[in-house]
Amino acid sequence: MGNKQTIFTDEQLDAYQVNSFCRLHGRYHELAPHLVPMDYTNEPDCKIPLALIVNMPELKENPFRDRIVESFSEDGMGNLSFNEFVDMFSVLSEMAPRELKAIYAFKIYDFNVDNYLCKEDLEKTLNKLTKEELTPEEVELVCEKTIEEADLDGDSKLSYADFENMITRAPDFLRYLVFVETDASKPCLCMHLSIFIILQYFTLLCTKNKIICSTLLLTNAFLICKIF
Amino acid sequence: AKNGIIVLKRPLGTSSDSNSDSDEEEDSMSEGEMARLMEEVEEKKKLIATIRNKPWRMKRRLVLLREAQQFVDKFEGALGKGKGRKWYAYKVMMTKKWIKFQRDFENFRTACIPWERKIKEVESHFGSSVASYFIFLRWMYGMNLVLFGLTFGLVVMPEVLMGLPYGSIPRKTVPRAEQDTAQDYSVLMDFNGYCKYSVLFYGYYNNQRTIGLLKFRLPLAYLMVGLGTFGYSLMLVIRTMAKNADVGGGDGDEGEFTFAWKMFTSWDYLIGNAETADNKYASITTSFKESIVDEQENQKDENIHLRRFLRVLANFLITCSLGGSGYLIYFVVKRSQEFANRDDLSWYEKNELELIMSLLGLVCPPLFETIAELEDYHPRIALKWQLGRIFALFLGNLYTFLFALFDEVNTKLEEEGSIKNASIWAMKEYYANFSLPVNDSDATPPPMDPGDVILGPCWETAVGIEFVKLTVSDIQVTYLTILIGDFARAVIVRFLNYCWCWDLEAGFPSYGEFDISGNVLGLVFNQGMIWMGAFYAPGLVGINVLRLLSSMYYQCWAVMATNVPHERVFKASKSNNFYMGLLLLVLFLSLLPVVYTIMSLPPSFDCGPFSGKEKMFDVIMETIDLDLPAFMGTLFSYAANPGLIIPAVLLMVLAIYYLNSTSEAYQNANMELKKKMQMVSKRICGVPSDEDFNQEEPKKQHRQHQPGDEGPGGPAAQSLPGPARPAGAWLVSSRASCRCGTPETGTDQPPALSLWSEQRNPRSLKENRPRPEAEPPGRVLTCRKT
């Protein structure tokens, strides 16, 4: 992660006291070590191209990765400076408020960047989401229905007001536009194993039969191997 | 990666020498200026606090932040509020920590929910209706786990740890005659031998009032746990029903934004794994297909009379078959009672009852499904009908089983009288015979070996054994059916396809579909059996926990490996209330026999925790008399007075009526508010505050009014919605012009779609309002026809 002092001045660090700031910089640097200088004290002006950023693990599997990076870049081509990089992580974290996420979501889904979600934008979104598995009639039907549901001013495309009105009522929205990872499910497997052992003790009490006990012992061993 | 969080902090560079300036300034400021300054400082502070919420570029934010911070610092000193900064930073840090803690706790809680990933995988491939079965299974598992904990902790463990060990008293010992075969596998599989005289069954428990150092009152605990099982299950089922009713409650019909939400909020940004992403794509596609099916159902347009006739016919046929199967069961039961008296039975006659019941269980559901094709319902509704009918069928099975069981219990009770006498007689004989060889008359004879004492028939253990055998055979049948019906079938179709005349995969057998209704009902009835049997066999709940655990893994594997998705994938109803309703019904049905036996049948005289008492609930009376202070006894006797109970019941009925009517009133109020909200939101449809969002681009006027050439809207539609025109008319006309005028949504649309959508759209309500404008209703109607 490097020594804070050599990358940023105290003033810079103080200005945006970002949590795990160094880690973010570390990741930014990793994406293009030859482009990104280690020393940020002079606020260098370097940008990482789109092609390198979409290889990040958080973005790799996302169907909208290109649009995400483009909407955070100032030039609209997807080249992110470090400020914009931090911005992206900041908006896509759980600390960001709903309105901010809604604004950026609108930008992401607006493929032709005309501040409206017209039918072509919706079709592109849908095709990306379903990997083009739906028939053209189904795509048509879904886009029609979407515009009909959300369009308030009757221009058969969604302005930001329409979009915001619709998205703020969605129950799942906040949960989904987030970049944080969750841990694996070891605790529940351990819990199951302990339940299983209790039940075995129980069976031992009741039957005193060797065959049954040895079968259970074998199953035990199998489960432990599977978990660990 | 961790999040980027921006916290303001004072940038270095602003030093305290600004304070010296402010001292002089302070003298020269008047009251008004101070107030204005304070306001500005407050504004800047607000800006600092909300700066992270603004969608500006980072550079602009930093610049503004520095400016605002300098301003605040400069003048805060003047206003003497220097401490605020540190406190603010501290507060922010604490908020951060609190949010992190909450997030960790939520993560932990979510991680503790078992099988989440498995169920999501099944859902992504088979749709939400199949997944709803697994979610129901998981819920059952949770409930059984709690019941197991209760029984194990409060009944089994105390008896094992603090009670008398095996072999010390007659009820805990295998009788001498059976001791040779007690460990045989076949005997154990029948739950005789060591199994019968173990903690699994009622008969093992001793009737000592208190046991061990802790003076644990086992008989009381046994009764309380037995009743508590029902109480807890009832509470849990009702609570889940209430929670489900809260969440939307509708049958897939809620939300005005179904498609929009699906499109914009279905992708999970946390996915970083390629396989999970594939699953997610599959699930999103499935989910869209489900909604499309729903949509198309709504647009279907058919001959109503034919449909009604077919439905009546189908119901008639099914009622006939249900009646027929009921009579068949009755007939077979009567015959089996006759057979019980004879000895020379063929294999068929011995097992006739079970055979007929299994046959009915196998043949009738597919028969019902075939007849149900006449009805042509939406798949979700058809599923509910199917569930209801199979439920009625299984009730017949249940009724038979209970009938047979009660017969057995009555026989045993009659037997008991005679065995009691025989046992006491044998005891006396033993002591009489014993004292003879010993010369010393003072010596007390040793107690009779417990294996030799004649035990009574112990009907409770017999009932427990019946239930346990039924559960185990149910498990075996289910697993075998999956193995043969699904797995073997899949293997045959897959490998025989290479050398068979027609295409096995597309044609006749093909792969099986997951039978939701059969499995759900199996689960529900199994749970009913458990509830009924748990009082007589405390170990039954443990067996069920094991069964549900293995069932989950086994069925998940089977579904993924051997089944194909339904042809018409449909969305399960958002609430699981239908399954819960069935479960509730079964809970009540299983409560009745147990409560009846507790209240009216006498317990066995020599086995179980209530032996020696007249009725099982005498334990409670005993506890009240001996353990609780005297006034509680009188209190309870007053409370049990019918004169008090009947008014209490009346009061509860009145309370239910009152709550019902208030809830209806609230629902009506809700609907009204919803309608109002929709009206208002449509009225305000051009929200102006896009300044922050669109800093570089020219501000667009979002109040899009249709350009004049856009059709029959006419001059009336051109102006802004001023107070002169009722908003409704403007909306109607704009809608009309949008439909007729805009080229894309024109004539290629199937008429049914716009007809349907006009009807469903709440805006259409306004069509009926009398309008002062020159917009004849005919205009709107012509739009509809296109």
Side-chain angles (χ1 to χ4, degrees):
Chain A
M1 285 289 165
N3 203 343
K4 266 194 225 172
Q5 264 69 35
T6 56
I7 307 180
F8 294 100
T9 61
D10 278 345
E11 190 178 35
Q12 285 170 320
L13 281 179
D14 277 343
Y16 27 8
Q17 183 111 28
V18 175
N19 203 4
S20 315
F21 192 60
C22 296
R23 238 177 283 188
L24 267 183
H25 183 259
R27 301 203 56 193
Y28 190 69
H29 180 80
E30 259 167 34
L31 288 173
H34 49 287
L35 280 178
V36 175
M38 279 305 280
D39 187 353
Y40 252 75
T41 45
N42 311 328
E43 296 193 15
D45 187 27
C46 70
K47 294 187 178 225
I48 296 188
L50 178 76
L52 290 175
I53 298 183
V54 295
N55 282 331
M56 279 177 52
E58 288 92 345
L59 286 174
K60 217 169 35 147
E61 299 297 333
N62 197 315
F64 301 112
R65 50 186 178 270
D66 292 333
R67 280 302 306 152
I68 293 176
V69 178
E70 279 166 16
S71 47
F72 282 98
S73 74
E74 211 165 315
D75 57 4
M77 301 299 293
N79 304 315
L80 293 187
S81 71
F82 182 57
N83 277 341
E84 288 152 1
F85 189 75
V86 171
D87 214 5
M88 182 169 77
F89 272 89
S90 166
V91 169
L92 288 168
S93 77
E94 307 137 341
M95 293 278 294
R98 191 170 218 175
E99 299 77 30
L100 197 57
K101 286 194 196 283
I103 291 172
Y104 278 98
F106 187 78
K107 287 195 198 185
I108 290 174
Y109 293 125
D110 186 6
F111 281 79
N112 50 11
V113 202
D114 61 350
N115 283 333
Y116 284 100
L117 296 178
C118 57
K119 203 145 164 235
E120 289 75 36
D121 290 333
L122 294 181
E123 279 174 9
K124 284 207 193 112
T125 311
L126 189 59
N127 282 328
K128 280 205 191 284
L129 273 178
T130 58
K131 271 192 167 169
E132 307 192 8
E133 290 255 339
L134 295 179
T135 67
E137 294 83 36
E138 290 172 338
V139 169
E140 174 89 20
L141 177 64
V142 172
C143 294
E144 275 293 328
K145 286 297 300 166
T146 309
I147 292 185
E148 194 186 304
E149 282 171 355
D151 190 17
L152 293 176
D153 47 17
D155 53 1
S156 41
K157 43 189 178 172
L158 304 183
S159 66
Y160 177 66
D162 302 330
F163 183 78
E164 194 199 1
N165 174 47
M166 177 265 294
I167 210 83
T168 43
R169 302 203 198 163
D172 287 338
F173 178 56
L174 215 65
R175 231 185 73 200
Y176 275 131
L177 214 67
V178 171
F179 259 5
V180 175
E181 286 163 21
T182 48
D183 289 330
S185 59
K186 278 275 162 66
C188 76
L189 282 171
C190 295
M191 186 176 77
H192 287 312
L193 191 62
S194 37
I195 293 172
F196 198 63
I197 293 181
I198 292 178
L199 285 170
Q200 277 182 48
Y201 169 64
F202 201 47
T203 342
L204 196 68
L205 270 182
C206 302
T207 56
K208 302 186 176 45
N209 182 310
K210 298 189 187 69
I211 306 175
I212 298 180
C213 289
S214 43
T215 351
L216 286 175
L217 220 68
L218 282 171
T219 340
N220 247 355
F222 172 68
L223 278 177
I224 293 181
C225 292
K226 187 158 185 258
I227 293 176
F228 301 109
Chain B
K2 295 293 176 183
N3 324 323
I5 304 168
I6 302 176
V7 170
L8 44 116
K9 241 212 153 208
R10 64 179 285 190
L12 297 174
T14 60
S15 53
S16 49
D17 57 50
S18 59
N19 287 337
S20 51
D21 295 313
S22 53
D23 274 343
E24 291 155 21
E25 287 175 9
E26 203 178 331
D27 295 336
S28 57
M29 274 194 283
S30 64
E31 275 275 336
E33 277 184 22
M34 276 271 260
R36 194 180 45 85
L37 203 60
M38 261 167 76
E39 248 182 66
E40 267 189 57
V41 169
E42 281 304 318
E43 245 182 72
K44 290 285 185 210
K45 272 195 179 164
K46 213 175 90 168
L47 179 68
I48 294 172
T50 56
I51 202 158
R52 88 170 79 130
N53 297 357
K54 306 269 188 234
W56 300 327
R57 301 288 173 214
M58 194 61 129
K59 269 198 186 125
R60 184 170 172 208
R61 260 191 265 187
L62 284 177
V63 162
L64 277 175
L65 178 68
R66 256 186 221 131
E67 270 178 31
Q69 193 65 56
Q70 276 173 352
F71 186 86
V72 167
D73 274 347
K74 190 163 153 207
F75 291 107
E76 229 180 10
L79 302 172
K81 289 195 216 152
K83 275 209 183 129
R85 215 172 308 125
K86 284 211 184 100
W87 169 245
Y88 186 80
Y90 174 74
K91 237 184 9 177
V92 170
M93 189 191 69
M94 288 314 288
T95 324
K96 255 196 311 177
K97 284 211 194 311
W98 175 241
I99 292 182
K100 183 168 191 306
F101 170 73
Q102 274 185 323
R103 175 172 49 105
D104 284 342
F105 184 66
E106 272 304 314
N107 280 353
F108 177 70
R109 240 183 33 169
T110 327
C112 267
I113 299 178
W115 307 310
E116 187 68 25
R117 241 181 300 165
K118 255 199 213 311
I119 294 182
K120 278 267 179 296
E121 209 182 321
V122 170
E123 183 169 5
S124 70
H125 283 106
F126 291 89
S128 50
S129 45
V130 172
S132 73
Y133 164 73
F134 287 101
I135 293 176
F136 187 52
L137 179 61
R138 183 175 65 186
W139 181 87
M140 287 281 228
Y141 174 71
M143 180 175 75
N144 276 287
L145 211 54
V146 173
L147 293 180
F148 173 64
L150 268 179
T151 322
F152 198 68
L154 290 176
V155 171
V156 176
M157 279 285 96
E159 182 68 26
V160 165
L161 295 176
M162 300 191 280
L164 299 170
Y166 170 85
S168 49
I169 46 178
R171 68 184 67 180
K172 299 200 183 202
T173 328
V174 178
R176 193 168 296 278
E178 298 173 24
Q179 268 176 7
D180 292 331
T181 54
Q183 236 182 356
D184 286 355
Y185 190 73
S186 55
V187 167
L188 283 178
M189 280 300 108
D190 246 354
F191 296 99
N192 276 320
Y194 281 121
C195 262
K196 187 169 172 188
Y197 300 95
S198 68
V199 278
L200 264 182
F201 295 108
Y202 173 99
Y204 185 81
Y205 296 86
N206 201 3
N207 66 339
Q208 251 180 306
R209 208 174 81 83
T210 65
I211 48 176
L213 277 173
L214 295 172
K215 301 241 182 271
F216 189 79
R217 285 145 175 72
L218 188 75
L220 182 69
Y222 195 97
L223 189 64
M224 288 286 113
V225 163
L227 294 176
T229 308
F230 288 108
Y232 174 74
S233 312
L234 191 61
M235 190 199 75
L236 193 64
V237 171
I238 292 196
R239 201 175 70 167
T240 313
M241 283 179 88
K243 222 192 311 181
N244 281 341
D246 239 2
V247 174
D251 241 340
D253 203 38
E254 13 77 10
E256 337 154 33
F257 297 118
T258 335
F259 281 96
W261 284 345
K262 275 204 188 349
M263 190 174 299
F264 296 118
T265 65
S266 55
W267 182 261
D268 186 348
Y269 281 60
L270 286 172
I271 292 178
N273 173 2
E275 201 184 321
T276 322
D278 282 337
N279 280 347
K280 190 68 182 172
Y281 285 120
S283 103
I284 290 179
T285 313
T286 315
S287 150
F288 269 111
K289 289 207 164 125
E290 283 174 359
S291 294
I292 292 176
V293 164
D294 267 350
E295 186 63 29
Q296 284 167 345
E297 279 295 326
N298 280 329
Q299 295 171 27
K300 253 190 337 189
D301 178 49
E302 276 177 30
N303 185 351
I304 281 205
H305 298 292
L306 182 66
R307 234 209 248 184
R308 277 205 198 127
F309 169 69
L310 286 175
R311 281 186 188 165
V312 167
L313 180 67
N315 276 322
F316 175 69
L317 285 173
I318 288 181
T319 324
C320 283
S321 31
L322 276 177
S325 66
Y327 179 69
L328 183 65
I329 293 181
Y330 172 73
F331 177 69
V332 170
V333 165
K334 278 267 172 267
R335 267 190 18 148
S336 75
Q337 281 180 338
E338 287 168 36
F339 288 155
N341 299 332
R342 286 173 24 198
D343 264 336
D344 54 337
L345 299 169
S346 63
W347 175 84
Y348 170 73
E349 279 159 353
K350 256 197 266 194
N351 297 317
E352 190 184 26
L353 185 60
E354 273 101 27
L355 272 174
I356 297 283
M357 292 201 347
S358 317
L359 265 178
L360 276 178
L362 279 175
V363 164
C364 283
L367 180 68
F368 291 164
E369 250 182 71
T370 335
I371 298 181
E373 304 223 337
L374 280 176
E375 291 178 332
D376 199 20
Y377 277 125
H378 185 286
R380 196 185 312 129
I381 302 184
L383 178 65
K384 285 196 180 158
W385 275 97
Q386 178 77 348
L387 277 174
R389 286 167 186 152
I390 303 184
F391 186 75
L393 180 72
F394 281 7
L395 273 184
N397 281 2
L398 195 65
Y399 146 79
T400 325
F401 180 70
L402 282 180
F403 198 58
L405 213 55
F406 264 118
D407 266 350
E408 209 180 314
V409 168
N410 283 330
T411 336
K412 288 222 149 67
L413 277 176
E414 285 160 13
E415 235 181 277
E416 205 177 88
S418 55
I419 294 202
K420 198 170 179 176
N421 291 335
S423 160
I424 296 178
W425 182 248
M427 187 87 83
K428 291 210 168 105
E429 285 266 334
Y430 172 78
Y431 285 128
N433 287 341
F434 182 81
S435 54
L436 286 178
V438 175
N439 294 325
D440 188 0
S441 51
D442 284 344
T444 47
M448 197 154 121
D449 179 48
D452 288 329
V453 174
I454 305 178
L455 280 181
C458 204
W459 62 270
E460 295 100 340
T461 305
V463 169
I465 292 181
E466 284 301 312
F467 276 110
V468 173
K469 279 209 294 209
L470 187 69
T471 309
V472 168
S473 74
D474 189 41
I475 297 175
Q476 286 168 339
V477 166
T478 318
Y479 286 14
L480 273 177
T481 321
I482 294 181
L483 201 61
I484 297 181
D486 278 340
F487 184 63
R489 172 176 170 180
V491 163
I492 289 177
V493 166
R494 180 73 187 282
F495 292 113
L496 225 54
N497 208 12
Y498 295 125
C499 51
W500 203 258
C501 4
W502 70 84
D503 188 359
L504 286 173
E505 278 181 7
F508 161 54
S510 79
Y511 299 105
E513 287 180 352
F514 187 75
D515 178 17
I516 303 178
S517 48
N519 277 305
V520 167
L521 279 179
L523 208 56
V524 166
F525 274 99
N526 171 58
Q527 189 60 36
M529 292 293 130
I530 303 296
W531 276 322
M532 270 197 270
F535 187 73
Y536 302 107
L540 190 56
V541 191
I543 295 180
N544 200 34
V545 166
L546 204 57
R547 171 225 163 99
L548 288 174
L549 189 59
S550 50
S551 211
M552 178 56 118
Y553 288 107
Y554 185 53
Q555 283 190 303
C556 269
W557 166 80
V559 136
M560 295 297 289
T562 66
N563 287 41
V564 289
H566 290 253
E567 263 186 58
R568 296 179 78 194
V569 183
F570 59 96
K571 191 169 25 171
S573 51
K574 268 270 141 58
S575 64
N576 243 351
N577 267 357
F578 189 65
Y579 299 159
M580 291 296 157
L582 281 181
L583 198 61
L584 195 63
L585 191 59
V586 167
L587 175 58
F588 275 120
L589 287 178
S590 35
L591 179 63
L592 293 176
V594 177
V595 171
Y596 174 73
T597 48
I598 293 180
M599 290 297 167
S600 40
L601 291 182
S604 304
F605 74 97
D606 67 345
C607 71
F610 308 115
S611 56
K613 302 208 179 9
E614 290 270 331
K615 291 262 158 34
M616 292 191 194
F617 63 86
D618 282 346
V619 176
I620 303 183
M621 302 302 170
E622 210 187 341
T623 316
I624 296 179
D625 286 335
L626 298 177
D627 289 327
L628 297 175
F631 73 90
M632 303 276 292
T634 38
L635 207 64
F636 275 116
S637 63
Y638 285 150
N641 191 342
L644 203 64
I645 292 187
I646 293 183
V649 170
L650 221 57
L651 190 67
M652 282 194 276
V653 169
L654 286 176
I656 291 176
Y657 175 70
Y658 169 72
L659 287 171
N660 204 18
S661 38
T662 16
S663 99
E664 263 179 40
Y666 282 142
Q667 266 181 347
N668 286 340
N670 249 356
M671 293 303 303
E672 290 297 317
L673 282 173
K674 251 193 216 168
K675 280 192 206 150
K676 264 198 200 147
M677 252 172 50
Q678 279 170 350
M679 261 168 57
V680 170
S681 75
K682 264 124 195 170
R683 193 184 302 195
I684 310 182
C685 101
V687 178
S689 65
D690 278 348
E691 225 173 286
D692 291 336
F693 165 58
N694 257 341
Q695 55 193 112
E696 286 99 48
E697 281 136 82
K699 288 191 201 146
K700 274 200 178 162
Q701 199 41 257
H702 283 279
R703 249 168 273 165
Q704 284 286 329
H705 296 292
Q706 39 290 7
D709 54 329
E710 200 78 5
Q718 286 271 1
S719 51
L720 291 170
R725 302 173 66 247
W730 172 70
L731 286 170
V732 164
S733 60
S734 76
R735 190 96 179 126
S737 63
C738 139
R739 283 275 168 226
C740 306
T742 359
E744 311 101 83
T745 63
T747 46
D748 11 327
Q749 231 178 49
L753 179 60
S754 40
L755 174 65
W756 174 86
S757 61
E758 287 290 344
Q759 281 172 350
R760 221 183 95 161
N761 199 316
R763 270 182 253 164
S764 64
L765 292 170
K766 288 170 204 65
E767 247 118 56
N768 301 327
R769 270 208 266 143
R771 292 187 305 276
E773 284 306 304
E775 291 269 323
R779 182 141 300 150
V780 178
L781 291 174
T782 49
C783 282
R784 274 203 207 156
K785 280 201 200 118
T786 51

